[in-house]
Amino acid sequence: MKRTMSHRRQGSIDLLEIFGVVNENGIEIPPMPPVHPPLTFDYVLVGKFSEDENNHIFKKQRAFIESLKKKKLHVHKIGDEDEKVFYCIRAPQNIFETYRYLLKVSDACNWSCEQQGTIPQSIRIRIVDFILHHTYIESEGVSEYLPDLMKKNVFETHFCLHEKREQKDLKQSWARWSACFKGQPITNVRNYLGEKVALYFLWLGWYTFLLIPASVIGVIVFLYGLAFYNTSPLIKEVCQSNVIMCPLCDKTCKVWELSETCMYAKVTLLFDNEGTVAFAMFMAVWATVFLEFWKRHRSSYVCAWKVFDWCEEEEELILEIVNNAQCEPKIHRHSYLRSTIVMVLVTLMLLIIIGLTHVLVVCRVIATVLLAENSPWKVITENSQTVAVMLGAVLHYITITVMTRVNCTVAMKLSEMENKHSHAAVERSFTVKMFIFQFFTMFSSLIYTAFFLGRINGHPGGYVRISGIWRLEECHPSGCLTDLFIQMSVIMVLKQTFNNIFEYSGPWFSRWLKRKKTQKFRRRCFKCYKKECMNAKEGSELCENCKLEEIHRNYSLIQTDRFSLFNEFLEMVIQFSFTTIFVAAFPLAPLLALLNNIIEIRLDAIKMVSLERRLVPTKANDIGVWTDVLEVIGVLAVIANGLVIGISSDFIPRLVYQYFYGPCASGSATGIDCMAGYINNTLSIADISDERVRDDFTSAQMVTYSGRNVTHCSYRDYRSNEDFSLTNQFWVILAARLIFIILFEHVVVMFKCVASWFVPNSPLDVRNERLYDKLKRLKEELRAQRAHQDTLTKLNENGNAKRTSKQKKTNKLNSM
């Protein structure tokens, strides 16, 4: 029975369409459609106009254009009133035929050579872009490429043109705000912007969809804490307590009553409860399920696009040959000295980033003291530590914004220093370095808050101080998890909100300012513009005014480069880190990420289609090294959440108290809550008469705000009231914390492994279709080879027959 599998759409794509992630109109995904020959040009170079032919800039412009013409590229020069000159480039058909043939005979890319007929505009743009960036001129014995010429102002910029018809279709079906809750036409995005952009939006769409169940469960965990908001014995114990706490700072801070932090205790319980443990385990497994199903969806699409076996490095070799048939391969090189230098510089950069974290800690400690001592507002004085945490989070966000630019520059320099043999290798190296720098920039302060805050500050009579002056911060008696929650919420909200505002408003405002320029060209040739630009027939050419209007329309858009898509990926991967790594402290993180991503998808679509110049369509069959980065984040999520629950949370101390030290420990207590007395159990007492304590506190500090003198104050720790030594309960809790961390991580890793095994990377449909297509291609090659052999055999037989006939005639003549 004849197989028809290659004509049937993949089940994984159908599932995505049912979920509303994609919208392929329920039909089979077609191959990349051939389009009519371009009405304008494949690429545009922009330079300054000069009437002086002896000007060195003009000479280099002319030399570069001549180099392009030697490669058979057609260059059309168009002048402008603003003293700009547009070099409009169109490549001949034979270049693309060469590209197609090399795809067919390559080892890894031959499966992607299904395209017949006219080469789509996206492929034309990609090939011409490669040729432009690999064309050079000789100047004073030095080879200068296009980036070098742009640095010297020989050329101002370069860009490819938007196609009006396809652009209009994408605006109507995808790149508009009213389409926020509709599936994405991923195949149309691929046809217009290339596979790499399409896979980004497919990944973002699937990630956003899976955030829905994560957000629902996160809200349930939050509501679970809210349900016991007023009935928890822990909150009642704090709110009704008469315990006098030790001063939180030197000199001006006085002793205070634990009941003053009633609201703080309530907020802490919202995020530090039994549901947090289950949610952290769920999110760790969720990250694995997300990645495994992403691999399935990716394989379905790249199989339908015929790029499953495509290889980026081999594609570069093909483009090298298209650019220069006499090119030599770039030999793989490795230098241990160079690698050692790069490793040392990376380590130095990480130390600088960690040093900035220490600076933030110091600033927060000093701010706590200054706010407590000098603030004219009582509410700030009494809550100086909480205000300092919020100010520290804002300062951390500012640091992130500044360091992002620094990290990008350093990562690029280090990647170039490695002297990789291909652009793909350089991009992978840059991606890894940039993510590592950004990860430490984002999370160093959070790691301190989660695992060190309140644990290295000492105790009355033995406080740890910075430069012997400022005391380190203490944890609230209800725990440090709220400080981590405050930092995460401030950073996520500020980062996502400001990023989206600036990403959209900047390009939109710039386009609005430049729109008057293009309207002038429309008025010049309005009738022609309407007829030829919008309703042009295949193969027709535009008039000069319409061409110039088209060029100016694209020139006025925001410039794009190879970092445009990288920045979008980095932003989302960092968000994925926030959503998974410290989710135990912030169960609402998936909800914030979901709300942001619903906007982010359309925002990125509108930018790429309407506000920015067209990205060079790039071929890909995966999201590249980002997959490995996401898997590393999944492992870090298991470790970090286990540590947050085991170390930062009060979950383990509460369990130990309930079963070993509380009223229910003996099993005979009735009519009493098992957690009664827990808060008092976590507090130790400092005697003011102790000489060591008197050195830390003045007599004025030991007077309450109501005017009562006290001789004792409490602080959060498990220490002896006599000699400040750690109690047995501290070591029991520490052992329980370590046991929990080990069990948590092993159980979650086991679930992750089972989930990874249970979900195959490629659906059976994909495997079977690839097998069928390979068999079909091999049979076609065999038929072509046999036909060639048959032709040779017939030619040989005809030649032998002619030789035999001629020999017979010769023999006959000789015999006469």
Side-chain angles (χ1 to χ4, degrees):
M1 184 174 66
K2 187 176 180 180
R3 298 289 299 274
T4 59
M5 185 168 298
S6 62
H7 301 291
R8 184 169 62 85
R9 196 170 69 167
Q10 302 294 335
S12 180
I13 299 175
D14 289 330
L15 187 65
L16 287 173
E17 192 159 20
I18 292 173
F19 287 156
V21 177
V22 302
N23 181 18
E24 306 293 357
N25 296 320
I27 60 175
E28 176 196 353
I29 293 181
M32 186 173 288
V35 298
H36 54 272
L39 293 174
T40 51
F41 304 97
D42 297 324
Y43 223 91
V44 177
L45 279 176
V46 184
K48 290 185 177 180
F49 179 77
S50 176
E51 296 181 353
D52 184 7
E53 295 187 358
N54 295 321
N55 186 290
H56 72 284
I57 291 180
F58 178 77
K59 287 182 177 180
K60 289 186 177 182
Q61 277 187 14
R62 185 169 57 186
F64 189 79
I65 298 302
E66 290 300 321
S67 297
L68 294 178
K69 290 180 178 179
K70 289 179 182 178
K71 295 182 178 182
K72 309 302 181 183
L73 296 180
H74 304 305
V75 183
H76 182 66
K77 182 177 178 182
I78 300 179
D80 184 30
E81 297 175 352
D82 294 335
E83 295 186 352
K84 289 184 176 60
V85 57
F86 299 100
Y87 295 101
C88 307
I89 302 167
R90 184 183 297 172
Q93 189 67 20
N94 65 310
I95 288 180
F96 308 112
E97 295 300 332
T98 302
Y99 171 77
R100 180 185 294 162
Y101 175 77
L102 292 174
L103 278 181
K104 183 177 180 180
V105 300
S106 70
D107 295 329
C109 295
N110 50 16
W111 202 32
S112 65
C113 186
E114 298 283 334
Q115 186 65 42
Q116 301 296 327
T118 304
I119 295 292
Q121 187 69 13
S122 58
I123 295 180
R124 297 177 65 96
I125 291 172
R126 183 169 68 250
I127 296 174
V128 173
D129 177 78
F130 186 90
I131 294 174
L132 281 176
H133 282 83
H134 289 77
T135 299
Y136 64 90
I137 60 174
E138 294 291 341
S139 178
E140 299 178 356
V142 178
S143 299
E144 293 184 332
Y145 291 84
L146 182 59
D148 303 317
L149 297 175
M150 291 181 62
K151 289 179 182 178
K152 296 180 179 180
N153 295 321
V154 176
F155 293 103
E156 178 187 334
T157 186
H158 58 86
F159 56 88
C160 51
L161 300 175
H162 282 288
E163 301 169 70
K164 285 190 175 180
R165 294 179 180 178
E166 288 74 10
Q167 187 183 30
K168 182 180 179 181
D169 292 340
L170 284 177
K171 284 181 180 180
Q172 292 178 345
S173 62
W174 180 54
R176 56 191 178 95
W177 292 112
S178 58
C180 276
F181 298 99
K182 294 182 180 179
Q184 302 182 83
I186 294 297
T187 299
N188 291 340
V189 176
R190 173 250 184 173
N191 294 341
Y192 189 69
L193 295 172
E195 287 84 355
K196 197 168 188 177
V197 173
L199 287 174
Y200 162 73
F201 281 104
L202 179 63
W203 173 83
L204 182 55
W206 175 242
Y207 168 46
T208 303
F209 174 76
L210 272 200
L211 280 173
I212 296 175
S215 302
V216 171
I217 296 178
V219 171
I220 291 174
V221 171
F222 176 78
L223 294 177
Y224 173 80
L226 193 63
F228 300 97
Y229 192 78
N230 293 317
T231 60
S232 171
L234 301 179
I235 293 179
K236 288 182 178 180
E237 189 172 352
V238 173
C239 295
Q240 299 173 5
S241 175
N242 294 321
V243 174
I244 302 298
M245 303 297 295
C246 294
L248 295 175
C249 67
D250 298 326
K251 298 180 180 178
T252 58
C253 293
K254 294 185 177 183
V255 291
W256 51 283
E257 292 186 3
L258 181 60
S259 58
E260 295 175 6
T261 58
C262 176
M263 182 56 66
Y264 197 101
K266 291 180 179 180
V267 173
T268 299
L269 193 66
L270 293 178
F271 304 100
D272 189 4
N273 53 64
E274 294 79 3
T276 302
V277 180
F279 185 60
M281 296 180 67
F282 166 80
M283 287 302 295
V285 178
W286 174 90
T288 299
V289 172
F290 158 71
L291 279 176
E292 295 304 317
F293 272 101
W294 154 248
K295 294 174 184 177
R296 288 174 61 86
H297 302 325
R298 176 206 68 86
S299 62
S300 295
Y301 264 96
V302 298
C303 178
W305 295 340
K306 304 301 181 186
V307 291
F308 196 101
D309 293 327
W310 173 84
C311 173
E312 187 170 9
E313 293 186 358
E314 194 150 344
E315 172 89 3
E316 284 198 30
L317 288 177
I318 292 172
L319 291 174
E320 285 279 5
I321 298 174
V322 171
N323 175 57
N324 178 15
Q326 309 301 323
C327 66
E328 296 292 332
K330 295 179 181 178
I331 300 175
H332 292 264
R333 301 179 185 275
H334 179 75
S335 169
Y336 286 102
L337 176 61
R338 191 186 300 269
S339 299
T340 303
I341 293 174
V342 170
M343 184 171 61
V344 170
L345 292 176
V346 168
T347 305
L348 180 62
M349 186 66 184
L350 292 180
L351 291 176
I352 293 174
I353 294 173
I354 295 173
L356 288 176
T357 302
H358 292 157
V359 172
L360 290 175
V361 172
V362 172
C363 290
R364 201 164 65 185
V365 170
I366 296 175
T368 302
V369 176
L370 294 179
L371 290 173
E373 295 179 354
N374 302 317
S375 176
W377 295 286
K378 184 179 179 181
V379 65
I380 294 181
T381 302
E382 295 177 351
N383 299 279
S384 59
Q385 184 171 344
T386 303
V387 175
V389 169
M390 298 182 69
L391 290 176
V394 174
L395 186 60
H396 187 198
Y397 168 75
I398 297 173
T399 304
I400 290 171
T401 304
V402 174
M403 286 302 297
T404 297
R405 295 183 178 274
V406 177
N407 292 340
C408 182
T409 302
V410 174
M412 179 53 65
K413 294 294 183 183
L414 293 177
S415 300
E416 293 174 351
M417 188 182 298
E418 290 178 319
N419 196 23
K420 297 292 185 179
H421 70 284
S422 67
H423 173 70
V426 173
E427 186 176 2
R428 285 193 295 269
S429 176
F430 171 76
T431 299
V432 171
K433 290 179 178 61
M434 184 63 181
F435 174 76
I436 291 174
F437 293 158
Q438 284 295 93
F439 181 85
F440 274 85
T441 302
M442 295 276 189
F443 289 96
S444 293
S445 181
L446 296 178
I447 291 172
Y448 167 79
T449 303
F451 306 128
F452 297 100
L453 178 63
R455 291 168 182 82
I456 57 175
N457 61 300
H459 55 84
Y463 283 120
V464 177
R465 300 175 182 273
I466 298 175
S467 300
I469 302 175
W470 298 289
R471 278 170 49 185
L472 289 181
E473 303 161 281
E474 296 183 31
C475 273
H476 184 270
S478 300
C480 285
L481 211 61
T482 301
D483 295 330
L484 183 59
F485 154 72
I486 291 173
Q487 274 201 285
M488 286 190 63
S489 58
V490 170
I491 292 173
M492 279 196 73
V493 171
L494 286 179
K495 188 175 184 302
Q496 294 182 162
T497 302
F498 283 110
N499 278 1
N500 288 338
I501 290 175
F502 290 130
E503 277 184 31
Y504 183 75
S505 61
W508 181 88
F509 187 69
S510 177
R511 187 186 65 168
W512 179 79
L513 290 176
K514 296 178 180 179
R515 183 173 294 175
K516 294 181 179 180
K517 179 73 176 178
T518 57
Q519 290 176 346
K520 179 176 62 176
F521 294 101
R522 295 187 186 184
R523 289 193 297 269
R524 284 184 183 176
C525 199
F526 181 77
K527 184 177 180 181
C528 173
Y529 171 80
K530 281 293 182 183
K531 287 187 176 181
E532 295 197 35
C533 291
M534 300 300 293
N535 304 308
K537 297 180 180 179
E538 294 185 7
S540 63
E541 289 285 347
L542 302 177
C543 73
E544 291 299 310
N545 275 329
C546 283
K547 289 179 181 178
L548 193 55
E549 185 277 333
E550 183 76 359
I551 292 169
H552 266 285
R553 186 175 67 89
N554 286 269
Y555 174 73
S556 64
L557 300 177
I558 299 300
Q559 183 175 355
T560 57
D561 53 32
R562 57 179 173 170
F563 295 113
S564 297
L565 185 62
F566 170 84
N567 293 334
E568 304 299 340
F569 254 123
L570 181 62
E571 180 184 350
M572 288 296 100
V573 170
I574 292 295
Q575 185 208 79
F576 181 80
S577 303
F578 273 102
T579 306
T580 54
I581 290 181
F582 287 115
V583 73
F586 192 18
L588 296 180
L591 178 62
L592 291 181
L594 173 63
L595 297 176
N596 174 79
N597 288 4
I598 292 174
I599 299 173
E600 184 74 28
I601 291 176
R602 302 305 156 181
L603 178 61
D604 291 345
I606 292 171
K607 283 196 312 178
M608 292 184 184
V609 175
S610 302
L611 303 179
E612 294 180 341
R613 294 174 186 169
R614 185 177 183 178
L615 284 170
V616 175
T618 305
K619 187 179 287 188
N621 61 358
D622 200 354
I623 58 175
V625 73
W626 290 115
T627 301
D628 300 326
V629 171
L630 292 170
E631 289 179 346
V632 170
I633 292 173
V635 174
L636 292 176
V638 177
I639 298 172
N641 284 304
L643 292 174
V644 166
I645 297 172
I647 295 178
S648 304
S649 170
D650 270 8
F651 176 73
I652 299 302
R654 288 199 293 259
L655 284 181
V656 172
Y657 177 80
Q658 182 176 353
Y659 293 104
F660 292 96
Y661 297 97
C664 300
S666 61
S668 58
T670 57
I672 187 172
D673 194 287
C674 294
M675 294 304 298
Y678 169 75
I679 297 296
N680 286 334
N681 179 259
T682 63
L683 301 177
S684 298
I685 298 176
D687 189 350
I688 306 303
S689 61
D690 191 308
E691 184 177 350
R692 291 168 296 181
V693 177
R694 285 202 304 269
D695 292 338
D696 285 328
F697 304 133
T698 64
S699 57
Q701 290 182 271
M702 306 311 296
V703 179
T704 64
Y705 288 102
S706 60
R708 181 165 62 94
N709 290 310
V710 296
T711 58
H712 296 79
C713 65
S714 300
Y715 61 97
R716 178 184 169 87
D717 211 341
Y718 295 95
R719 293 186 178 273
S720 168
N721 297 335
E722 287 76 25
D723 58 0
F724 299 109
S725 61
L726 295 171
T727 62
N728 290 333
Q729 186 175 353
F730 170 84
W731 299 109
V732 171
I733 292 175
L734 179 61
R737 289 182 189 274
L738 295 176
I739 292 172
F740 170 82
I741 292 171
I742 294 172
L743 289 177
F744 177 89
E745 293 181 356
H746 280 72
V747 169
V748 174
V749 167
M750 181 183 68
F751 277 113
K752 285 171 68 70
C753 292
V754 171
S756 178
W757 166 81
F758 189 76
V759 183
N761 289 347
S762 297
L764 289 177
D765 288 348
V766 172
R767 299 179 187 179
N768 292 331
E769 182 171 341
R770 290 183 61 217
L771 181 63
Y772 174 74
D773 281 354
K774 287 181 178 180
L775 181 62
K776 177 184 175 183
R777 189 175 67 252
L778 290 173
K779 287 181 178 180
E780 289 177 352
E781 293 290 340
L782 180 61
R783 282 195 296 268
Q785 193 268 346
R786 286 179 175 175
H788 181 66
Q789 285 184 342
D790 291 342
T791 302
L792 291 178
T793 302
K794 289 181 180 180
L795 291 175
N796 289 334
E797 289 176 353
N798 292 336
N800 291 335
K802 289 180 180 180
R803 284 194 295 271
T804 302
S805 176
K806 185 176 182 181
Q807 186 64 37
K808 286 181 179 181
K809 290 181 180 179
T810 303
N811 293 337
K812 185 176 180 181
L813 291 173
N814 291 335
S815 63
M816 290 176 65

